[in-house]
Amino acid sequence: MTTEGKKQNGFVETVKTIFWALVIAGVFRSVFFQPFWIPSGSMKDTLLIGDFLFVNKMAYGYSYASCPSVRMPRFGVNIDAKDLCGVFDGDNTRFLPGVPERGDVVVFRHPATGLDYIKRLIAMPGETVQMKKGVLHIDGKAVELADGGLFEEPAGPQGPQGLRPRCENGPVGDGGNCVKSRQIETLPNGVSHGILNITNQSSDNTGVFTVPEGHFFFMGDNRDNSTDSRVPRAARGVGFVPFENLIGRADRIMFSSAGRSMFFFWTWRGDRFFKAVN
């Protein structure tokens, strides 16, 4: 074989290797685990901006939302899960379904925008939810709350988007100490987790929501800094989330970076590597 032929064969083999690597990665991402990078502070202090985790897609079975959306605006790529698997949309059922549990931290597809959101599952189908003076009530009964101390973080831009945290101790300049009150909330099934308070606002006092059959009610742990089921879709919120829109359960943080890029090793949070999500 000539040198020219060897080069052509080498090129073809390289293309084949890349192709099959992409196929395997696509299958892994679609069927087993989906990577998810925390972009905002709505789940503090359970999840911080810059936490990187894999979402367990086997936990609740599969629906059209299990297909990956590929969004790369810089390159003009915007492939939605509906473009790939839209034929399975609309019946609110799943293949090999698993039952979500109250308190699970779940990645789901926003019912209106199609974007991936991560929140905590608060209420099940048929239950009622209401916030009264910042206290969660499920089926008319207040959840158990205990003092959890303070959550403190440096004030200043966070993550690739440069988002600034809201602070209970008022506007705080860069480098200052941003403080929020922390409580331990225990849901009716015994799941306990931290929640944060920033101020008194409209989302601390709501009407009564009745969760429809086949839907779930989600909230962020950073209660005053979360767009979730407390805000109807018509008002640009999340509203009730259909069963088919669930993507998977967040079980463990694999990696965490406090900087603008995961490659800035000096900003890595070593104490959060392989940390369980509770």
Side-chain angles (χ1 to χ4, degrees):
M1 182 179 293
T2 64
T3 302
E4 180 83 19
K6 289 181 178 179
K7 287 183 178 179
Q8 288 180 349
N9 283 343
F11 175 75
V12 170
E13 289 303 315
T14 299
V15 171
K16 286 182 179 179
T17 300
I18 293 173
F19 171 77
W20 286 113
L22 291 174
V23 169
I24 292 170
V27 170
F28 183 87
R29 188 178 189 274
S30 299
V31 178
F32 300 111
F33 297 95
Q34 176 175 317
F36 192 84
W37 185 272
I38 303 300
S40 73
S42 68
M43 282 296 293
K44 291 178 181 177
D45 65 337
T46 302
L47 297 171
L48 304 180
I49 295 176
D51 283 349
F52 178 82
L53 48 86
F54 281 102
V55 179
N56 181 357
K57 302 182 81 168
M58 298 176 284
Y60 310 131
Y62 303 95
S63 70
Y64 87 96
S66 302
C67 285
S69 295
V70 183
R71 307 184 195 279
M72 295 185 289
R74 183 179 299 180
F75 302 101
V77 177
N78 186 18
I79 303 173
D80 191 79
K82 280 191 175 181
D83 298 330
L84 300 173
C85 301
V87 67
F88 302 110
D89 179 25
D91 60 2
N92 201 24
T93 59
R94 306 183 73 88
F95 176 66
L96 299 175
V99 180
E101 295 185 10
R102 191 196 315 274
D104 285 357
V105 176
V106 179
V107 173
F108 59 87
R109 179 183 168 87
H110 190 290
T113 68
L115 297 177
D116 290 350
Y117 272 47
I118 186 166
K119 307 290 180 184
R120 190 177 297 276
L121 198 164
I122 295 297
M124 312 297 282
E127 295 181 333
T128 64
V129 180
Q130 186 177 20
M131 294 294 293
K132 297 180 181 179
K133 297 181 179 180
V135 179
L136 171 65
H137 290 66
I138 298 176
D139 284 342
K141 185 177 180 180
V143 299
E144 180 183 336
L145 290 173
D147 180 54
L150 298 175
F151 173 72
E152 303 179 48
E153 60 184 336
Q158 298 180 351
Q161 301 179 63
L163 301 178
R164 299 185 62 88
R166 294 175 61 200
C167 311
E168 187 177 9
N169 55 331
V172 178
D174 285 358
N177 192 31
C178 179
V179 178
K180 301 174 183 64
S181 297
R182 184 174 184 270
Q183 292 177 301
I184 303 301
E185 179 179 84
T186 300
L187 299 174
N189 62 341
V191 173
S192 296
H193 58 97
I195 59 171
L196 302 183
N197 178 72
I198 301 171
T199 186
N200 295 319
Q201 57 187 47
S202 59
S203 58
D204 290 327
N205 295 279
T206 71
V208 177
F209 302 96
T210 301
V211 186
E213 287 302 315
H215 293 70
F216 299 92
F217 194 97
F218 289 90
M219 293 174 65
D221 291 347
N222 192 359
R223 290 287 162 82
D224 295 336
N225 195 46
S226 175
T227 300
D228 49 41
S229 293
R230 289 172 292 178
V231 182
R233 273 176 258 164
R236 298 186 178 183
V238 172
F240 306 117
V241 179
F243 186 33
E244 68 177 351
N245 281 46
L246 306 191
I247 294 173
R249 185 181 63 221
D251 291 331
R252 191 169 297 275
I253 300 164
M254 305 304 295
F255 171 86
S256 185
S257 172
R260 295 184 66 86
S261 169
M262 64 182 294
F263 299 108
F264 294 173
F265 64 87
W266 56 91
T267 66
W268 291 354
R269 305 181 182 108
D271 61 331
R272 296 186 68 79
F273 286 23
F274 309 111
K275 182 179 180 181
V277 177
N278 298 314

